Amino acid sequence: ELGASRDSRTRTHDMFAVTTRPQLAARAVVKTQRAHRRASVAVRAENDVSKAVEEANSEWKDADAASKQPTMRVDAIDPADGSIAEAAPLGNDNSMLDSVMLAFKDSRAVETINGRAAMIGWTAALYVELTSNTSFMHQLFNERTFTLADGITRTSTYPAAGFFLVPACVILTLASSLAPALKKSSPNGLDEAPEAFGPFRPEAEMTNGRGAMIGLVALPIVEKIMGGSALF
């Protein structure tokens, strides 16, 4: 009986061992698969986080670059509910003002405009002197001498036609000189030297303008020295 009992226990142990080994192997396989899945999930999560960080950095750089660009936004009130609607950026609307201020900031532009106005003024003054024998100062101011009832003589000075032609000539010259700059033409003829057109070269314009400016200043001085009479 003891031997039979031992044989029975041995067979039972062997049957349990045969039954348990495949189960343990299957459990090991399941654990390995779970470990692989967890590892793959961790890798995917890490990749997603890296991608999200890169996208956030890219958006931040784009927003920072856009904030540094000069833009102007115009807000409009919605008549329906009174809310403020933000419009699209219009850019820098001071470009026209910058073009106008070019005539007063750039040294070459200032000299060019003054020279052009002086050439027109010198030519007009010379023409009037040759045709009517009127001095430069008498083209700008008229003098009227009259005698009062008590015999006192008085002289009155008032502006002549030339006095009003001077600002008109300056405004016309300024407007025509600024037209290419306002149209964004290149070269604009102010801070950029214009292109030569036959004998009309930028160097000749600058030289003639300087000579006309000197001539306009010298003409009344010489006439004053000569007693106010016309030179031509």
Side-chain angles (χ1 to χ4, degrees):
E1 290 179 359
L2 293 174
S5 178
R6 290 178 181 177
D7 292 338
S8 177
R9 292 178 181 177
T10 303
R11 285 195 299 268
T12 303
H13 182 269
D14 293 339
M15 292 176 61
F16 179 79
V18 171
T19 304
T20 306
R21 287 175 183 175
Q23 293 178 352
L24 294 177
R27 291 180 180 177
V29 172
V30 171
K31 290 182 179 180
T32 304
Q33 291 177 351
R34 290 179 179 177
H36 284 301
R37 289 178 182 175
R38 291 175 181 174
S40 61
V41 170
V43 171
R44 290 178 183 176
E46 185 177 356
N47 293 334
D48 293 341
V49 171
S50 301
K51 185 176 180 181
V53 171
E54 292 178 359
E55 292 178 354
N57 290 335
S58 178
E59 293 178 359
W60 181 83
K61 291 180 180 179
D62 294 340
D64 184 63
S67 64
K68 294 181 179 179
Q69 295 179 355
T71 57
M72 179 179 178
R73 296 182 180 273
V74 178
D75 295 335
I77 298 179
D78 189 354
D81 56 358
S83 62
I84 298 178
E86 190 175 30
L90 300 178
N92 182 15
D93 64 342
N94 295 327
S95 57
M96 183 175 293
L97 178 61
D98 295 338
S99 299
V100 173
M101 293 304 297
L102 178 66
F104 307 98
K105 291 181 178 180
D106 187 80
S107 58
R108 189 186 189 285
V110 172
E111 184 177 7
T112 300
I113 294 175
N114 289 336
R116 292 171 181 174
M119 286 188 285
I120 297 175
W122 166 257
T123 304
L126 181 62
Y127 174 78
V128 174
E129 281 205 8
L130 290 175
T131 55
S132 63
N133 196 28
T134 304
S135 66
F136 179 74
M137 292 304 298
H138 282 89
Q139 295 176 32
L140 298 177
F141 300 99
N142 285 329
E143 291 184 355
R144 181 182 177 184
T145 302
F146 54 93
T147 303
L148 300 178
D150 54 1
I152 299 177
T153 302
R154 293 184 179 276
T155 301
S156 177
T157 302
Y158 55 93
F163 181 84
F164 302 100
L165 290 177
V166 171
C169 174
V170 173
I171 293 175
L172 179 62
T173 304
L174 181 61
S176 59
S177 299
L178 286 176
L182 294 176
K183 293 174 61 178
K184 304 299 182 182
S185 300
S186 182
N188 55 27
L190 294 178
D191 59 334
E192 302 171 350
E195 297 179 356
F197 180 73
F200 303 100
R201 296 175 292 107
E203 298 81 5
E205 181 185 23
M206 296 293 289
T207 302
N208 293 336
R210 291 167 182 172
M213 286 187 284
I214 296 175
L216 280 178
V217 175
L219 188 59
I221 295 176
V222 175
E223 289 180 351
K224 184 67 176 178
I225 294 175
M226 298 182 62
S229 60
L231 299 179
F232 303 98

